[in-house]
Amino acid sequence: MTDVLIAGGLTPTGPHGAAAVADVGLEDGRISAVGVDLSREGAKTVIDAAGSYVLPGLVDPHVHVSGRFGSPVGLGMLVRAGVTAALDLAGDAQDLQGNLSRAGCGLTVGVLHALIPGDTVESADVSEAAVERFLDEQLERGAYGVKILGGHYPLTPEATEGVLRACNDRGVYCAVHAGTTASGSDVEGLEELLELAAGRPVHVAHVNSYCRGQVEHPTAEAQRAIAALSQAPAAWSDSYLSRINGADGLCADGVPVSGVVKTCLRLGGYEQTEQGLERAIADGWALVQAPAEDDVGFADADEGVRLFRRSTEVGVSFLVNPSAALLPLALARIADGTFAVDAFGSDGGSIPRNTTLRQGLALVRGDFLTLGEFVEKACAEPARRLGLQDKGRFDVGARADVILVDGDGACRHTFIGGRERVRDGVIVDRVGGTLLAAPDQSKC
Ligand SMILES: [Zn+2]
């Protein structure tokens, strides 16, 4: 018997991925039927979805919900943004496991542990033996894989290459924020990364963040990034659509610690000091994140300055992502017909930019992407990459991770495994979640 019948929504089932009106049945945690005018008889619940999109839950390959770069409040923010599975790109497995069991909202989340010189590894020139130890320890703790945070905490090019090699040899998932001690978090850093990867698999994080106009015009940088990625078929990449970035405002001796913050201040014409950052906040060039009980938003300028004066250890976001680069990275295809950038990530979670649905569906409404293409980049492709065979799909037999989304991109309902987690935009069930286990390391 059908548990839930979602009737008359716009689904990605039309020819060539066009939106088409269809009904969707959910039963025993699976999608049991997709079709026109399915029988409502016997359905326990019928939801009228006329005028809404009905889609597989998003599989977000770039979020922050644990460790020092994210907080558990992000789990609720994800599920309200239509995400049903995700990869935390620099968190902590045990922290995440605790967060998931307390309030996982049914999400499946894997986590990459970051190599941070002077913190989680001894130095930027981390030795082969130390890399092996790091991999052993973090996999043992439950990490899905590892992350190099080049733009924030760079390793040497040699150590970066060593980590990529060790991960490839052992079949460990590795994501990289481009940049080493010899290059920046920019398009040159991206090109260097793909050279160092030398045909080995690597998840290139947030490609858009290397195309902010630091080396040349953002459009030219996006073209370079697309060309470099098209030459690196084993590289897998995400980019996000939000105009804002996210970084840590922490200052020491009157200077921001994060290189990303310094760059953003320079791009806005501000001094690269604590004072410069305060001015940027007062002017609205930098937004201060304001955590609330169930959400993270942005403080207005006055409140932002007040929070920053109380402690510089606040999340800050700058309006640094030009659409001149965001759009080509979102839309470009390469010669074999696949997308140059494989997936939409949000780089969100507890960073308030969970905008993939809202902004991605704006591209669909504007006829820049079909609904099917949006689902490919936001659901199906990242699900395949993470080995989530029965997620990200909209077929009979797939897991009933299904979302209902208003015409303007706001998520109204989220079902995970057929269980309702969000109703009318409000979380109704937070119990449980699954830590995604690392891929089988049979390659070693
Ligand atoms: Zn990130």
Side-chain angles (χ1 to χ4, degrees):
M1 194 203 296
T2 305
D3 299 321
V4 181
L5 183 74
I6 305 170
L10 281 171
T11 65
T13 57
H16 306 292
V21 172
D23 301 338
V24 183
L26 313 183
E27 191 178 328
D28 293 333
R30 302 267 154 193
I31 295 178
S32 57
V34 178
V36 180
D37 292 330
L38 296 181
S39 168
R40 301 181 176 212
E41 213 171 304
K44 289 182 204 152
T45 306
V46 177
I47 298 176
D48 176 12
S52 298
Y53 297 102
V54 180
L55 305 172
L58 303 191
V59 178
D60 192 331
H62 190 153
V63 304
H64 296 282
V65 289
S66 71
R68 59 195 257 200
F69 304 100
S71 80
V73 70
L75 294 167
M77 292 165 74
L78 286 177
V79 83
R80 283 203 306 269
V83 175
T84 56
L87 188 62
D88 185 337
L89 242 63
D92 180 80
Q94 311 232 313
D95 185 31
L96 178 60
Q97 177 79 75
N99 298 345
L100 284 169
S101 50
R102 269 189 300 280
C105 301
L107 288 161
T108 297
V109 189
V111 60
L112 308 184
H113 205 94
L115 296 108
I116 301 176
D119 184 344
T120 64
V121 291
E122 81 271 6
S123 74
D125 199 17
V126 54
S127 70
E128 239 171 80
V131 170
E132 292 295 339
R133 264 201 315 277
F134 180 85
L135 295 183
D136 288 340
E137 274 166 25
Q138 294 310 328
L139 292 169
E140 176 69 32
R141 279 171 67 81
Y144 186 78
V146 299
K147 170 101 183 266
I148 298 175
L149 282 169
H152 301 277
Y153 305 101
L155 304 180
T156 63
E158 295 72 24
T160 301
E161 206 229 332
V163 173
L164 290 166
R165 189 169 354 98
C167 287
N168 183 53
D169 291 348
R170 293 177 55 167
V172 175
Y173 195 97
C174 181
V176 182
H177 178 153
T180 64
T181 52
S183 72
S185 175
D186 54 30
V187 72
E188 287 168 357
L190 169 67
E191 288 165 346
E192 181 202 41
L193 167 62
L194 295 174
E195 267 170 44
L196 293 171
R200 300 183 195 97
V202 57
H203 172 168
V204 181
H206 54 37
V207 177
N208 58 286
S209 73
Y210 317 125
C211 306
R212 291 176 175 153
Q214 288 172 256
V215 175
E216 50 184 317
H217 188 277
T219 306
E221 293 177 345
Q223 294 306 335
R224 271 171 75 171
I226 289 164
L229 289 166
S230 71
Q231 299 299 312
W236 191 89
S237 56
D238 73 78
S239 70
Y240 59 85
L241 289 163
S242 174
R243 300 285 308 280
I244 58 164
N245 76 338
D248 188 342
L250 180 68
C251 295
D253 304 323
V255 179
V257 173
S258 161
V260 172
V261 169
K262 286 186 209 156
T263 303
C264 292
L265 287 171
R266 182 168 55 75
L267 288 170
Y270 292 90
E271 245 182 78
Q272 297 174 316
T273 60
E274 185 172 333
Q275 244 180 16
L277 180 50
E278 187 177 313
R279 274 199 206 103
I281 294 167
D283 291 351
W285 173 250
L287 303 168
V288 173
Q289 294 165 22
E293 195 187 329
D294 200 26
D295 204 357
V296 180
F298 289 113
D300 65 23
D302 289 348
E303 175 68 2
V305 168
R306 201 185 61 75
L307 291 170
F308 182 71
R309 281 188 182 157
R310 198 175 66 189
S311 163
T312 62
E313 201 174 358
V314 289
V316 287
S317 293
F318 298 83
L319 202 71
V320 285
N321 296 311
S323 16
L326 292 175
L327 290 175
L329 294 172
L331 300 174
R333 288 180 180 275
I334 57 175
D336 67 3
T338 60
F339 284 105
V341 175
D342 298 274
F344 287 129
S346 65
D347 204 354
S350 58
I351 301 171
R353 56 173 166 200
N354 297 290
T355 64
T356 304
L357 263 186
R358 187 172 59 74
Q359 293 190 284
L361 289 175
L363 294 176
V364 173
R365 284 197 305 281
D367 216 9
F368 297 105
L369 288 175
T370 66
L371 193 54
E373 287 173 323
F374 171 73
V375 166
E376 176 64 18
K377 283 195 81 161
C379 315
E381 172 58 27
R384 283 193 295 272
R385 183 74 178 107
L386 296 176
L388 297 166
Q389 311 299 354
D390 60 353
K391 286 178 175 276
R393 297 191 287 122
F394 207 69
D395 323 323
V396 171
R399 220 169 105 91
D401 291 11
V402 174
I403 58 176
L404 251 87
V405 185
D406 279 349
D408 63 2
C411 182
R412 271 171 57 205
H413 294 267
T414 303
F415 290 89
I416 303 184
R419 194 157 145 183
E420 193 174 28
R421 296 292 186 162
V422 173
R423 184 187 307 151
D424 296 322
V426 177
I427 300 173
V428 292
D429 182 356
R430 292 179 192 267
V431 177
T434 306
L435 184 69
L436 181 62
D440 184 15
Q441 290 176 58
S442 51
K443 277 180 76 183
C444 55

